[in-house]
């Protein structure tokens, strides 16, 4: 049981009648020689680290290494308490979780790269908040993470998830695609709908450049994790409403890869272009390193 | 674009102390391999930081991650944050020296000079190639190549006929499946290194067996990250 792309994954699900999560787990069992139980246990370890990171940022004031971020999750929670959110509680919570996990990351706390450290807030933000809203049990949460992982490894195989290679679309775009597919799948969407949600999420940020201020995983990274959860949730909603992606997932992945290849080096993590090259960023840079 | 079969845990993972898989997690792993190469207690370590490592190491905690690796911490060990204090506690002196190793090296490279209690020094150069993956590219001035992801055995040997046969025999008698085996020779002198990467754990008894031929084998040790 193996798949190289989205359409092979979909075909396997249709042939066997198994869920995307199950197909992903069985593939893992075959390739690694580990038991299903063992593989679920490993994913649970990841889940626990994600959950703890979300909680930590809610309760602690964190200070990032570069000093550009810290305290954002608490501010968003304070605003939620006031009952006046613009986005509604669900998105606000998801956004707070994502930005919080990025605070944990930037202050040398424990996180799970998903798919990278720079995009580590999106999957926990989107999936754990949805899980809470729908009252998912642990098995459902792990299923969502396995589906997300399947999407992630397909993108890694056929394109890239590295900002240095493909820009921020490759990092925060992939993370949003992973989360969207996981959510759609557990909420009863078909494999095609899950893939479509991933396609939509990736399309929404196609061409997004990687331009971290001072080369650090803080700004704009943290806020792109906030938009990343929103992207994941909106894409899931679009797909679950029965609105298909006009361009199928595998073609979107390929397009994103080509766009990334065309990006100049300055816009791929080198901190030489985009926001990183603004006067403000340059003065912050000399403050941080001198 | 990788052709190998990726695991779902390549996409969701590793669990790591932030903020960067290449500048933090990868750095810790390089130093952890360095620690395994040195015998006995470490007294001193000098880190020569090359490329992006030299420019952004403070903001990425690369320094603490490297020191953490020297202290034996894995990428997910929260003690990495306090590596400076812990190193002092253990009486390890350290320094970080921005340097330029030249264009032949990956932008995220560190050269480590590690000295143990007995005054023996080893030099290890490692590259952090993305996503927390690493390559060890130089050992005591000799070009090598291994990742630490397999079960890895390094043998330091006299460069004379028969040594490779002796090593393979010992490994084969333990029914260990070898993925890669390479021999690296020093230009001068008659020392060579054999690096063996295996899918299964290389037992202590296999290592002891290899070392039995004292006239041929100077040393043998396991350096895997598993
Ligand atoms: S801007 Fe670059 S470093 Fe920051 S999240 Fe996006 S891809 Fe990662």
């Amino acid at each position: 049981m193996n798949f190289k792309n989205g359409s092979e994954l979909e075909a396997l699900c249709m042939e066997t009648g198994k869920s995307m999560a199950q197909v992903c787990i069985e593939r893992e069992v075959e390739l690694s020689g580990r038991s299903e139980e063992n593989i679920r246990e490993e994913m649970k370890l990841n889940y626990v680290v994600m959950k703890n990171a979300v909680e930590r940022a809610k309760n602690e004031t964190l200070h990032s290494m570069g000093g550009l971020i810290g305290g954002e999750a608490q501010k968003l929670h304070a605003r939620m308490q006031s009952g006046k959110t613009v986005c509604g509680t669900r998105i606000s919570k998801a956004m707070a979780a994502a930005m919080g996990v990025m605070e944990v990351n930037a202050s040398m706390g424990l996180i799970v790269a998903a798919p990278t450290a720079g995009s580590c807030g999106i999957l926990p933000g989107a999936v754990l908040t949805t899980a809470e809203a729908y009252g998912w049990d642990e098995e459902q949460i792990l299923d969502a993470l396995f589906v997300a992982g399947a999407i992630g490894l397909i993108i890694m195989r056929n394109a890239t998830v590295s900002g240095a290679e493909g820009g921020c679309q490759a990092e925060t775009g992939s993370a949003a695609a992973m989360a969207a597919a996981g959510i759609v799948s557990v909420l009863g969407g078909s494999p095609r709908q899950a893939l479509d949600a991933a396609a939509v999420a990736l399309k929404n940020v196609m061409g997004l450049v990687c331009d971290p201020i001072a080369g650090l995983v803080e700004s704009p990274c943290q806020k792109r994790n906030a938009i990343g959860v929103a992207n994941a949730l909106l894409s899931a909603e679009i797909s679950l409403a029965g609105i298909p992606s006009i361009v199928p997932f595998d073609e979107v992945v390929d397009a994103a890869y080509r766009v990334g290849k065309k990006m100049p080096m300055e816009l791929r993590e080198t901190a030489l272009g985009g926001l990183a090259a603004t006067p403000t960023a340059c003065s912050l840079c000399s403050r941080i390193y001198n | 674009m990788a052709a190998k079969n990726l695991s779902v845990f390549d996409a969701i993972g590793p669990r790591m102390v932030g903020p960067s898989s290449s500048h933090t997690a990868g750095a810790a792993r390089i130093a952890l391999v360095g620690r395994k190469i040195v015998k006995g207690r470490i007294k001193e370590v000098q880190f020569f930081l090359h490329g992006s490592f030299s420019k952004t190491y403070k903001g990425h905690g690369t320094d603490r991650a490297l020191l953490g690796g020297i202290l034996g911490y894995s990428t997910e060990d929260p003690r990495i944050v306090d590596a400076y204090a812990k190193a002092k506690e253990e009486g390890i002196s350290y320094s970080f020296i921005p340097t330029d190793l030249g264009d032949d090296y990956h932008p995220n490279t560190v050269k480590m000079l590690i000295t143990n209690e007995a005054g023996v020094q080893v030099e290890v150069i490692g590259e952090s190639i993305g996503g927390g993956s690493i390559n060890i590219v130089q050992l005591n001035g000799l070009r090598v190549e291994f990742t630490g992801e397999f079960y890895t055995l390094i043998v330091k040997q006299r460069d004379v006929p028969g040594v490779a046969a002796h090593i393979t025999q010992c490994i084969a008698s333990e029914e260990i499946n070898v993925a890669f085996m390479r021999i690296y020779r020093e230009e001068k002198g008659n020392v060579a290194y054999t690096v063996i990467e295996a899918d299964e754990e290389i037992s202590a008894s296999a290592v002891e067996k290899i070392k039995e031929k004292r006239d041929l084998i100077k040393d043998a040790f396991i350096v895997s990250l598993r």
Side-chain angles (χ1 to χ4, degrees), chain A residues 2 27-28 39 42 45-46 49 65 105 108-115 117 123 145 149 153 156 215-217 257 289, chain B residues 1-2 5-19 21 24 55-56 58-61 64 76 80-81:
Chain A
N2 203 350
R27 171 186 181 274
E28 200 69 26
I39 287 164
E42 169 102 41
L45 290 177
N46 289 340
V49 169
M65 300 290 292
N105 181 56
M108 296 194 81
L110 192 57
I111 55 94
V112 184
L123 194 58
L145 295 181
L153 71 89
M156 287 171 96
L216 302 179
V217 194
Y257 184 61
Y289 290 117
Chain B
M1 271 209 235
N5 277 313
L6 290 156
S7 156
V8 62
F9 299 112
D10 290 319
I12 303 185
R15 294 180 292 279
M16 54 169 273
V17 167
S21 53
T24 319
K55 291 186 199 89
T56 64
K58 279 191 192 135
H60 281 124
R64 304 193 210 191
E76 57 182 299
I80 283 180
V81 182

Side-chain angles (χ1 to χ4, degrees), chain A residues 155-174:
Chain A
I155 300 176
M156 287 171 96
R157 187 185 191 287
N158 300 314
T160 175
V161 296
S162 138
E165 258 188 276
C168 200
Q169 54 161 10
E171 290 202 16
T172 59
S174 299

